[in-house]
Amino acid sequence: MITGIVGQCLEAVSRNFVGNDLLRYSDLVTVYGLTEQDRKEHPEIKHPYILATKRNDYLSVIEISGAKTEFDKASFDDFIERFAESTTSLFTGTGHKLSFAFERDFTKNQDELNTVYKPHVDAVNKLGLDIVDLIADDAIKIAAHYSRERGFLVLYSAKSLISKHELKDEIEEANREMNGLPASGHGQNPVEYRLDTLKISHDAVLWQLINSLSGEGNPIICSLMDVRQAGSMMRQLLWRNSASDRWYPRTPFDKGTRPRGNLKAGDLTPYTPPRLNIQLLDGDMIDHGSMTECDGKFYAALDLELPPMNEVTFKQLFKTIPRKLPYRVKFDFVGGGRKALNGKATALAFLRFIPSLKVIARDLDYVVAQNEFDPIVIMAVNFVTWGDTIQEARRNRETLKKTIESWGVSHVSTTYGNPTSALINSVPGLSMATPGTLHYPPLSEGLHMLPLERPASPWSRNSNLCFITEDGKLFPYEIASALQEKATDVYTGVPGSGKSVLANRMNLSTIFRTNGKLPFLTIIDKGYSAKGIADLLIDELPEHQRHYIAAITLNNDSNHCINIFDTQLGSRYPTQFERIFLIQMLQAMCVDPQTGLPPNANDVEQIITDLIDQVYTELEHEHANKFSNRIAIVNQALEETGLKDELGEKWFIGAKWWEIVDLLFAKNRHYEATVAQRYAVPTLATFIAVLTRKEWADKYEKVKLPAGEPVVEYIQRSFQSASKRYAIFSSPTVYDFSSETRVAILDMQNVLGDNKTPSGKLKSGIMYLFARQMAVRNYYLPQSAETFLSQLPKQYVSYHQSRINELAEEVKHTFYDECHNFAGISFIQDALNTADLEDRKFNVRTAFSSQFLEHMPSSVLKTMNSVFIMRLSQGDVKHLRDLQIDIPDDVIRRFRNMPQGAFPDGSGTAFLGIFKTRHGLVCHILKNTVGIKQLWALNSSAKDRVLRTHMYRELGGKRSRNILAKEFPLGTARGKIDDMINEQGGDAEDDSMAETMAIQLAKHLVSKAKRGEL
């Protein structure tokens, strides 16, 4: 029976084991199994989380990811004060110990990225999308600019925490339960180490600790590790080259345990898993003087012999340690510091009578006085570094030593009695020992030194893509995450800030979280910034999947006509969502550009609503459109299916288009049925014709504009004007926009109005409303499922039910670029506001991109959950603070002072990432670090696009990207093209000249490639 953790710590300082018996260095034996109460209160925990030592003490491991939002000095001081208050009870006496461990290792980057990117590779392989080289190139680029970090907190609870009579009762109960059982030998017998009273005490402190770090209003992201996770972590930190990330220690609570070894009577060892220390320390270590060799690495330990003279933070030390230097630091805190100092009273008394040493006594008096509200703790700080050779490990040790000693004027010792012991003790949770020099600071001073300020991502285990923090930590990000209440993204930044590259990368990354199918993704673009995504997918997808991609440059002519009155296949009526759109669209046609509203707006809305209902009803019954045999593809289908001969020529003379649709659908000719339906539904001309009827003039004869014109006549006149102005949606559909389309990229460049005039803004608003409906009308089909399915002819129900099921399960993505084109246009803003409020319920993610926050629809600003700011513009900070998004002034200042565009070291372009999550606000300065090949695939620069397009056409996508990445490793050839223009005496801003030079450069590269020179 132990006398408490303090006794163990003091004993451990002098341990100097002889030989290579590694098991003597670790205390771990088995686990305390999950109870019914554990499963009820914490259903997320599937495996035991309390580990037991050979002395019957308990420990649990918490993974510390880091801070949700960067601290400034005041907020960090405030947090440490609150954290110290919440943990004071642990250190007023003996029995508890906390160990904080932090590791940084550049050499593990690729291992981490392999884990992060594996789901991405699996996803594109399932799609048959040949872009694994882009993912690998991305990983290589990111790996060069960060270092893997891991942080852990271990809570120890000693057996001495429970009273003697409780301990006696527990032991007697365990003996009764084990009566007649053979000895467990080297196996695990959890009953032997089960102390229910200690478990209750340990749990109370553990959950309080987690809450004080990451509970509501607290800034740290952390998670409790079960024995599998903790054991795997310990083994990976020790056996760095050979440990598999899939390995975990076995316990008696695992299924599938089988007898092993020599089955002896009276020995349980063959029937239970080996003790934890046996499983974890299965290998050899060799001492080389002051170093230890373990699994192909050489380790050197350092002990903080004299702590910093001034109050310091780990952040100050972190900044000075070279990023590629691997190290681990462990801070141990044990209670009972005041009691330990009391034993030194005689020494302190002598110091008071030596004038030159009075200052020491005065400092100690201060520490003792603080103890009343800030308990004295016993603290030890130990570092370990390593290398592939003794020489490398020695260099790293010397560099680390110099760096630490500049940290508040410290002193470091590199002398250890046993380097193997120092290495094992540096692994969090593996040993209860506390090696090195013991210090006695107030708790808050010690906590100030902890690595709790490191930035963290809440998406450490699931991500679509990875960013890095400004100081080199990986930041995974998941699009449309369950951690966020809704999926509304906003991107802001002036031209040239990197906004388009970031947005394109985000949109492309939606494919990395799919399960064998392309995502539903709509990009409403201006100037074809997203052309690279379309080119990449079309080029690298198997041919039989390319029809899922639609990349369209809209033109306002009859050749691109898409009828806004089309309905779902077989449906005689618009869905609820389609009906709302038609009301909005027809009202927009009646808007007075000067006011932004239709005159007599309420009357106009009422008449239009009635009109829509009557037109569709008539076209189903008495006024159904008659069949005409002028559509070749429909005629061919009627012949191939035998319907023409079966029904006879006479039948077709009186046939209606809806009958043709039904017949072709019944023959499984869905595409031809869709084409036929285009002539069964109304067009804008149908609505105009209905409005000319006398019955409509009579019905609303008293409804007039202030000038006296009947509202019906005004609506008719507005529709006639729109029919002439908007040829793109005024006739039956010509452009094939398949219902099977999953990725739709619509370029609005040629159809938008002049945003400097009221009529131009109106045109832009109508075209955005049209483009949105064209692309996303199916996204909201699940919303209308009940009413939609009930009015369908029966033969179409199962077809649409399967579509609805698929749409309901998947996340749908919509991206609006250049939102300033509809800023201030009330009806499109209102439509987007309404949609934004509904999107969460229907699994729709909506993203908006523009130069400034003020361009965004009002509800989007209030409900946005992810904000990507490339440049802080005037008013942005106020906008954010009005929305209760408070960013530390220090972060804003640093972000404003960062270089514009890409960093010179190639680490990417900085942006301010703000994320509202269920864990609280997450805010960090991040970098969009993109592989060169992906950068070339997504580049939106006009000059680079021309170059890329021409090379794709001649050499194919993959070969072109490889050549461009090699020739222009910055991801752009703009500089080269500008030089070529200047050599010709031209103007670099001349688009025609730029295109000519880009094509000339492409021909030059293609020629060299075909000669085998590239």
Side-chain angles (χ1 to χ4, degrees), residues 76-87:
F76 187 64
D77 289 346
D78 179 64
F79 165 63
I80 290 298
E81 183 179 344
R82 286 185 284 115
F83 187 46
E85 287 176 2
S86 67
T87 54

Side-chain angles (χ1 to χ4, degrees), residues 861-876:
L861 285 177
K862 293 174 184 175
T863 63
M864 58 188 180
N865 284 71
S866 295
V867 188
F868 305 83
I869 299 177
M870 311 303 296
R871 290 281 181 276
L872 275 170
S873 302
Q874 187 174 5
D876 282 354

Side-chain angles (χ1 to χ4, degrees), residues 501-570:
V501 171
L502 173 61
N504 284 338
R505 187 181 178 214
M506 292 282 285
N507 286 326
L508 178 64
S509 74
T510 58
I511 67 177
F512 297 143
R513 302 291 297 173
T514 56
N515 188 23
K517 293 181 179 179
L518 286 166
F520 289 106
L521 169 65
T522 295
I523 300 174
I524 298 177
D525 201 0
K526 182 189 176 186
Y528 231 162
S529 297
K531 187 177 188 300
I533 296 176
D535 291 345
L536 177 67
L537 295 178
I538 291 170
D539 194 62
E540 302 300 345
L541 273 171
E543 190 170 350
H544 69 278
Q545 291 199 62
R546 291 175 186 171
H547 69 285
Y548 293 127
I549 314 296
I552 310 163
T553 298
L554 297 178
N555 288 292
N556 191 16
D557 56 48
S558 57
N559 292 328
H560 289 79
C561 189
I562 298 176
N563 185 10
I564 61 175
F565 301 102
D566 281 340
T567 59
Q568 300 291 330
L569 181 57

Side-chain angles (χ1 to χ4, degrees), residues 84-97:
E85 287 176 2
S86 67
T87 54
T88 291
S89 60
L90 275 66
F91 301 108
T92 52
T94 60
H96 287 298
K97 171 184 171 182

Side-chain angles (χ1 to χ4, degrees), residues 80 147 260 302 314 318 332 554 557 563 632 699-700 916 944 960:
I80 290 298
S147 290
R260 69 189 192 288
L302 303 92
F314 184 79
F318 178 88
D332 290 312
L554 297 178
D557 56 48
N563 185 10
K699 184 176 181 181
Y700 294 103
K916 294 178 184 175
D944 292 323
S960 296

Side-chain angles (χ1 to χ4, degrees), residues 772 780 835-846:
R772 176 178 182 273
Y780 298 91
D836 178 63
L837 295 172
E838 296 288 330
D839 282 349
R840 179 180 61 85
K841 293 186 289 186
F842 305 106
N843 218 8
V844 176
R845 165 186 167 258
T846 309

Side-chain angles (χ1 to χ4, degrees), residues 925-951:
I925 297 174
L926 302 172
K927 291 181 182 178
N928 182 34
T929 308
V930 190
I932 303 303
K933 294 179 183 179
Q934 187 174 153
L935 199 55
W936 267 109
L938 302 180
N939 196 321
S940 64
S941 157
K943 296 171 184 176
D944 292 323
R945 283 207 314 265
V946 172
L947 171 62
R948 181 182 64 210
T949 300
H950 190 87
M951 291 191 65

Side-chain angles (χ1 to χ4, degrees), residues 390-459:
I390 290 180
Q391 291 76 16
E392 183 182 6
R394 185 177 292 117
R395 285 196 304 270
N396 288 341
R397 180 181 66 187
E398 294 309 308
T399 301
L400 187 59
K401 182 176 185 292
K402 290 177 183 177
T403 305
I404 298 169
E405 290 185 338
S406 67
W407 182 40
V409 193
S410 307
H411 179 69
V412 172
S413 170
T414 58
T415 303
Y416 273 86
N418 189 324
T420 297
S421 172
L423 170 60
I424 293 175
N425 291 332
S426 74
V427 177
L430 189 54
S431 172
M432 208 165 184
T434 306
T437 306
L438 302 181
H439 309 284
Y440 302 87
L443 174 61
S444 62
E445 285 188 15
L447 295 180
H448 254 101
M449 300 169 67
L450 294 179
L452 293 172
E453 294 182 86
R454 299 300 301 136
S457 165
W459 298 284

